[in-house]
Amino acid sequence: MIYRTFWDLTVSGIVLGLIYALVALGYTMVYGVLRLINFAHSEIFMVGTFGVLVSLTKVFGISLFDDGQYPYRSGFVLVAILVGSTVAAMVVSGAGAVVLERTAYRPLRGAGDAYGAVVLAFLTGLIASFLFSDHMMTNLAISAVITGPVSVVYVRIFRRGRQAPRLAFLISAIGSSMAMAEAVATWGPDQRSVYKTPRVLEKKVLVNFLGADVRIDYVIVAIGAILMMTSLLLFVNRTRLGRGIRAVAQDAETARILGVNVNSVILVTFLLGGAMAGGAAMMFTLVYDQTRFNIGFLLGVKSFTAAVLGGIGNIKGALLGGIVLGLAENYGSSIFGGQWKDVIAFVVLLTVLMFRPTGILGESLGKARV
Amino acid sequence: MSLTDAFRQRTAPQLQLGNRFRALPRSAKWSLSALLIVAFYLTPYWPDVPVLGWIINTPGTSFENVLTDQIMMFILVALGLNVVVGFAGLLDLGYVGFYAVGAYTTAVVTSGQFTLPWIAALPLSVIMAMIAGVILGTPTLRLRGDYLAIVTLGFGEIIRITANNSDWLGGPRGISKVPHPPSIGPLKFGVLNAKPYWYLGFTVILVVIFVLTRLEKSRVGRAWAAVREDEDAAELMGVDTFKFKLWAFAIGAAIGGIAGSLYASKVGFINPDNFQLQLSILFLAAVVLGGTGSMYGVIMGGFLVAWIPERFRGFSTRRYFVFGVVLVLVMVFRPQGIIPRRGAAAGIAQKGESDV
């Protein structure tokens, strides 16, 4: 029984692992430069899946079903839709990551600026408006009025440039993660239910590999993931900005003294991590055809596990960790039963942290610190 | 005077309130405390007081039930989580797990195969939660702060998934018909009247506050403070950091277990959905909002997190969003919370580069 489905599990495990790996890149890179687990990265992924949804249904105008059939497209149109949606997801996720950095992390480093102040002031106004009104337009109006003066006050407070302790970063990350997920759950059209995404790609079986069906969407995921990771590696290793990232990862203080603009390097890191999560979001919707407000949480924890497994801060490690975790999860759930699937990742994480906290390939983007 | 100076000045009166209280003569302190305690025992009657009632009463739901089902639990849980996060400086995101262990222990031993009396179920729940704390703490407490956070988060989820998948724990349907505590004279613990639960719960809160104040001032409390401020230095000074961190976990878990047990016997039925991850985050929000490490701060935080969504109905459906944003805002502008720990401001100023 297990033997018969072994290769099936292997193929789908690798595909799942590649998605984990792409999300893990965001954790790994941010951890490399900031020594921070960016808890909210899972929501950056989630926002990306909604970017795909909007792009497919609103920009390309595809409905869920055409006369009871899946809205399959083919040829050039299909390629255009896939590429367009990928770009949309990457833009949405990347932008989300940048706003997150500026709003929730940068002020804690004592480097808060006007952008973060405006977003925070708007959110303050929104929350305050809930006290008086239940009507969305009124809420928005109230917060719009409040934003101006409050953001001026916030900028003044930012000027004190106070550094927050490590714990504060984590709590801020958790808070923003919850706020993002709940914003989608509260103001999304279908709120907390599952959103189906149009299935534009007909999932034909390309080859049969030892009894396992290799579907076309699996192949696209594999090619896309490898492509994205290679370009990321090239960017980090070959470009000037990439050198900045590596410098900050090794020693932020020295990098700053030597003229690296640490804040813009951090921003670029978030942008890259967000874009990777956007790519992962596209692949996820391609394979599973659905999304939800809390889709990021478990996937985020698992991707983080993948990052730690491969060696946090290590880009190649993320790939290895992702695939190992994807396989472990698939094999494990066939042995112990599908309902324990989510427990497996946590057990793997705990085991790795206890016996080899630096992961399989070791921490490489920054200092090896345990 | 700049705006930031104005901010600083506005925080001053709160601090002086505490100092002024401490400067009072002993007899005045005792009588004032007694008066406050009586006033708090009468909390269920607060909505009938003219001005206070208008502020505190919750539209749509009975204040008594909000007090016992939400406020009481959040205060207890915030006190417990504060031991872990505030005293020892360990970020625990799976605290809901201990709460669940307490609730499920009470539910299993009082209804179903076993029919232990309630009075035996409560200590059993506390012991089980402590054991859960030690089981979680032993392998994980050697981990660095942020790793610890994510592993504890996993622990909370594992507890919930286990409860969901175990038939003897009722699976997704949970356990119903958990008996109420037995009546003591005129105090009848039933469904209709919530007041006795508050008398019971507030007594438990008082005991917990008493024990924790003693603990904080003892050798254990000083060891926790040392671990929180600088773990390496504490280790070098001869503090057995692992032992004391484990104690923090166990004691925090025990209080979570009490809260869970009380919750199960008040509400009468529990299922895995009562113990979602978001609840852990709300617990953390209570501690952080009130003032990490400050006992009266976290009580305030627990009260606010439980009460605000019920008082302002516009909040109730969006409470997770609101408290998510509030967590960020508090971290950005007032990391030490509404009522800061004494001496916290000085500590934070120097701790910019430290680990926790």
Side-chain angles (χ1 to χ4, degrees), chain B residues 220-255:
Chain B
V220 183
R222 288 196 301 276
W224 283 338
V227 170
R228 177 186 65 215
E229 298 300 331
D230 191 333
E231 196 172 334
D232 296 333
E235 185 91 56
L236 283 172
M237 297 302 287
V239 177
D240 187 347
T241 53
F242 180 73
K243 186 177 100 184
F244 285 108
K245 286 200 286 183
L246 201 58
W247 267 113
F249 248 58
I251 291 171
I255 299 171

Side-chain angles (χ1 to χ4, degrees), chain A residues 14-220:
Chain A
I14 289 175
V15 169
L16 191 62
L18 285 170
I19 295 176
Y20 288 158
L22 279 180
V23 180
L25 290 174
Y27 284 105
T28 259
M29 290 183 52
V30 168
Y31 192 90
V33 296
L34 275 185
R35 300 275 172 280
L36 161 77
I37 299 179
N38 179 10
F39 263 101
H41 189 61
S42 50
E43 307 322 318
I44 298 298
F45 167 84
M46 182 273 294
V47 170
T49 61
F50 279 89
V52 175
L53 179 69
V54 170
S55 153
L56 286 178
T57 54
K58 295 280 160 10
V59 178
F60 291 104
I62 302 165
S63 50
L64 261 179
F65 293 102
D66 287 344
D67 306 326
Q69 303 287 319
Y70 283 120
Y72 291 137
R73 300 286 192 273
S74 58
F76 181 74
V77 179
L78 176 68
V79 174
I81 289 173
L82 291 184
V83 172
S85 301
T86 311
V87 171
M90 288 169 89
V91 168
V92 169
S93 289
V98 167
V99 172
L100 172 75
E101 205 288 304
R102 285 220 132 130
T103 316
Y105 299 139
R106 193 163 160 164
L108 295 180
R109 292 200 304 274
D113 57 6
Y115 298 95
V118 167
V119 177
L120 285 174
F122 177 76
L123 289 172
T124 313
L126 196 61
I127 290 179
S129 73
F130 292 157
L131 288 173
F132 309 110
S133 159
D134 231 0
H135 193 260
M136 197 58 212
M137 289 323 284
T138 327
N139 288 338
L140 284 177
I142 294 176
S143 44
V145 172
I146 292 177
T147 303
V150 171
S151 54
V152 172
V153 177
Y154 284 179
V155 169
R156 298 291 285 269
I157 299 175
F158 285 165
R159 289 225 185 103
R160 276 147 71 179
R162 198 173 52 189
Q163 277 267 342
R166 275 277 289 261
L167 197 65
F169 281 86
L170 269 181
I171 293 169
S172 178
I174 293 161
S176 39
S177 164
M178 182 142 127
M180 276 194 270
E182 285 300 319
V184 171
T186 313
W187 292 294
D190 290 345
Q191 302 201 323
R192 282 164 201 276
S193 45
V194 172
Y195 294 75
K196 293 270 177 206
T197 52
R199 183 190 277 206
V200 286
L201 176 74
E202 191 177 359
K203 295 175 179 173
K204 280 189 219 147
V205 175
L206 283 186
V207 282
N208 195 296
F209 173 72
L210 296 170
D213 291 339
V214 180
R215 292 186 341 216
I216 187 158
D217 50 330
Y218 289 177
V219 176
I220 294 180

Side-chain angles (χ1 to χ4, degrees), chain B residues 163-202:
Chain B
N164 210 15
N165 292 339
S166 306
D167 285 336
W168 61 282
L169 292 176
R173 278 178 296 108
I175 300 176
S176 53
K177 296 194 188 116
V178 184
H180 298 296
S183 301
I184 314 163
L187 291 181
K188 297 218 172 1
F189 292 89
V191 187
L192 291 177
N193 190 359
K195 290 190 185 80
Y197 292 96
W198 171 250
Y199 303 142
L200 173 69
F202 187 62

Side-chain angles (χ1 to χ4, degrees), chain A residues 31 130 166 304 339 369, chain B residues 144 146 165 315 318 355:
Chain A
Y31 192 90
F130 292 157
R166 275 277 289 261
F304 175 75
Q339 73 269 36
R369 236 186 58 176
Chain B
R144 206 168 58 214
D146 29 14
N165 292 339
F315 274 171
R318 309 165 190 143
D355 257 10

Side-chain angles (χ1 to χ4, degrees), chain A residues 31 35-37 39 103-104 107-108 120 123-124 126-127 130-131 133-135 139 152-154 156-158 160 162-172 174-176 178-180 182-183 186-187 192 293 297-298 301 304 308 312 339-340 342-343 346-347 349-350 353-354 357 363 369-370, chain B residues 1-4 7-8 85 89-91 93 139-140 143-151 153-155 157-158 161-162 165-166 277-278 281-282 284 288 292 308 312-315 317-329 331-336 348-349 351-356:
Chain A
Y31 192 90
R35 300 275 172 280
L36 161 77
I37 299 179
F39 263 101
T103 316
L108 295 180
L120 285 174
L123 289 172
T124 313
L126 196 61
I127 290 179
F130 292 157
L131 288 173
S133 159
D134 231 0
H135 193 260
N139 288 338
V152 172
V153 177
Y154 284 179
R156 298 291 285 269
I157 299 175
F158 285 165
R160 276 147 71 179
R162 198 173 52 189
Q163 277 267 342
R166 275 277 289 261
L167 197 65
F169 281 86
L170 269 181
I171 293 169
S172 178
I174 293 161
S176 39
M178 182 142 127
M180 276 194 270
E182 285 300 319
T186 313
W187 292 294
R192 282 164 201 276
F293 78 102
F297 167 63
L298 267 179
V301 172
F304 175 75
V308 175
I312 195 149
Q339 73 269 36
W340 297 104
D342 298 332
V343 175
F346 290 123
V347 174
L349 176 66
L350 196 60
L353 284 177
M354 275 165 60
E363 304 179 346
R369 236 186 58 176
V370 185
Chain B
M1 190 178 70
S2 76
L3 273 167
T4 51
F7 257 75
R8 233 168 276 157
V85 180
L90 308 162
L91 188 53
L93 293 183
T140 58
L143 300 174
R144 206 168 58 214
D146 29 14
Y147 283 140
L148 179 72
I150 207 150
V151 169
L153 184 143
F155 169 79
E157 278 295 286
I158 288 177
I161 295 171
T162 309
N165 292 339
S166 306
L277 166 91
Q278 278 99 329
I281 313 261
L282 280 193
L284 185 70
V288 169
T292 317
I308 287 179
F312 302 100
R313 298 305 291 174
F315 274 171
T317 50
R318 309 165 190 143
R319 72 179 74 185
Y320 294 113
F321 173 77
V322 169
F323 286 115
V325 174
V326 165
L327 275 182
V328 177
L329 287 173
M331 280 305 105
V332 170
F333 295 114
R334 203 174 161 81
Q336 67 274 54
I348 277 184
K351 275 172 62 188
E353 289 293 307
S354 78
D355 257 10
V356 166

